[in-house]
Amino acid sequence: MLYLIGLGLSYESDITVRGLEVVKKCKRVYLEAYTSILMAADQSSLEQFYGREVILADRELVETGSDQILAGAQEDDIAFLVVGDPFGATTHTDLIIRARELGIKVEAIHNASVMNAVGACGLQLYQFGQTVSLVFFTDSWRPDSFYNKVMENRKIGLHTLLLLDIKVKEQSIENMARGRLIYEPPRYMDIATAASQLLEIEELRGEKAYTPDTPCVAISRLGSPSQTFKAASLKELAEFDSGEPLHSLVMLGRQVHDLELEYLYQYVDNKDEFKKLVEADQEYFKPPPYVAPVENDDEDL
């Protein structure tokens, strides 16, 4: 059996009781180590808590060496640990498909992830639209594929959760081209970088999916002891020091409920100014008034 086990967001003890019981009985335990990190735990603390060796599974092993992970899983129990929930990344879905092609049984043990814990900022989960990812820009690559999805969410009034890029065990283009296994230091996108990149793309596209005054919520270290939120305009967040990682960002939709707004006030610098931002944003994407179709009285024509 292959078990995909969610670890939650922060502590080694955030694993569920059933997940811990499974880990203790598995022959091998892998930790997926590139789509996210536990903010208050590491490989060593996990091994101490589980009483088991934990094998780090980087991007290369998961994406090209799945046979190594799945080896013997027809007869033995193998655990694949994922920060958050097992289905938080498409890579994990691919691993399940490969396992099933080999006739290996698969079971998922779920846990909290940013996709549901984001509700801690005060915005209602029912009011979220498509989630998008924002990657680090380079000198030659500034992708804007997220933009249309943000626009779609905004037009129907829904909030957008933006997941910010992390780079763990990544190679530079030069080292990759030369075949040198030299890895760059880990990098985690912060709120200021994300907001600046969003503003840059809006300036290039000019379609006003959002503006510098669009209200947003910066989320830092969600689920950790130092979890913080900051509600402000996009241009204000482009200069915001969000501290240590991990970070994510929510762009508010037009349909902000009164209770959501009241909750967000505890994270603003100026309640009246933030309310004005929200009201102006709601007006911009307000649907046009309904116009009844004109009836044709001359049915013979």
Side-chain angles (χ1 to χ4, degrees):
M1 174 83 76
L2 172 67
Y3 289 96
L4 279 82
I5 303 173
L7 297 183
L9 295 170
S10 189
Y11 299 95
E12 60 268 20
S13 54
D14 284 346
I15 190 172
T16 64
V17 173
R18 188 161 72 93
L20 181 59
E21 291 173 346
V22 170
V23 165
K24 289 181 176 294
K25 75 171 186 176
C26 284
K27 185 171 183 178
R28 297 194 307 278
V29 180
Y30 293 92
L31 171 63
E32 188 266 89
Y34 67 91
T35 60
S36 190
I37 59 170
L38 285 171
M39 289 170 286
D42 55 20
Q43 180 185 6
S44 176
S45 62
L46 290 179
E47 289 181 330
Q48 184 175 1
F49 187 70
Y50 301 153
R52 297 292 313 281
E53 178 190 6
V54 173
I55 305 167
L56 286 181
D58 58 18
R59 182 187 295 272
E60 183 179 356
L61 176 60
V62 176
E63 295 185 350
T64 64
S66 60
D67 291 345
Q68 181 179 337
I69 296 174
L70 299 174
Q74 291 92 341
E75 297 83 25
D76 299 312
D77 290 328
I78 308 299
F80 186 77
L81 310 180
V82 180
V83 176
D85 186 81
F87 293 101
T90 54
T91 298
H92 311 141
T93 305
D94 184 61
L95 183 63
I96 292 173
I97 292 172
R98 297 187 189 190
R100 288 175 174 165
E101 289 174 348
L102 295 172
I104 298 169
K105 294 180 180 179
V106 180
E107 183 175 342
I109 300 176
H110 298 283
N111 210 320
S113 76
V114 64
M115 301 290 284
N116 52 23
V118 66
C121 75
L123 298 175
Q124 298 168 3
L125 294 179
Y126 290 109
Q127 299 296 327
F128 278 79
Q130 303 170 89
T131 297
V132 301
S133 296
L134 194 62
V135 302
F136 279 111
F137 286 175
T138 69
D139 292 339
S140 59
W141 189 54
R142 308 175 106 68
D144 63 355
S145 57
F146 66 87
Y147 187 89
N148 290 341
K149 291 184 177 181
V150 173
M151 177 71 88
E152 290 169 3
N153 287 346
R154 299 267 290 154
K155 282 185 175 180
I156 58 178
L158 299 179
H159 311 311
T160 302
L161 171 62
L162 297 108
L163 303 177
L164 308 190
D165 199 9
I166 72 170
K167 299 290 187 185
V168 178
K169 202 175 180 182
E170 297 277 342
Q171 291 179 274
S172 68
I173 295 176
E174 180 184 355
N175 286 329
M176 190 180 301
R178 295 177 179 273
R180 297 184 298 207
L181 292 178
I182 301 174
Y183 299 103
E184 300 294 299
R187 288 195 299 153
Y188 307 93
M189 185 182 290
D190 59 20
I191 296 297
T193 301
S196 297
Q197 292 189 180
L198 286 165
L199 290 172
E200 178 181 333
I201 294 300
E202 177 53 53
E203 186 173 351
L204 290 171
R205 295 282 295 258
E207 299 170 37
K208 292 193 175 180
Y210 47 86
T211 73
D213 291 326
T214 295
C216 299
V217 182
I219 302 172
S220 301
R221 298 168 298 283
L222 183 64
S224 79
S226 58
Q227 166 182 291
T228 61
F229 304 103
K230 174 70 173 181
S233 69
L234 194 57
K235 65 182 177 184
E236 290 174 312
L237 293 179
E239 300 179 355
F240 175 60
D241 182 1
S242 50
E244 294 297 312
L246 297 169
H247 305 290
S248 53
L249 182 67
V250 177
M251 187 175 293
L252 269 62
R254 171 176 42 81
Q255 301 182 79
V256 180
H257 192 278
D258 289 345
L259 287 177
E260 291 180 304
L261 190 56
E262 190 66 34
Y263 201 102
L264 291 178
Y265 283 152
Q266 64 186 306
Y267 308 129
V268 303
D269 290 334
N270 186 303
K271 175 179 174 179
D272 293 333
E273 289 299 319
F274 187 76
K275 184 176 182 180
K276 288 179 182 178
L277 291 177
V278 172
E279 290 174 343
D281 194 64
Q282 290 174 333
E283 187 65 28
Y284 178 76
F285 277 107
K286 187 177 181 180
Y290 172 74
V291 177
V294 178
E295 295 184 3
N296 191 343
D297 295 332
D298 192 349
E299 297 182 357
D300 294 333
L301 294 178

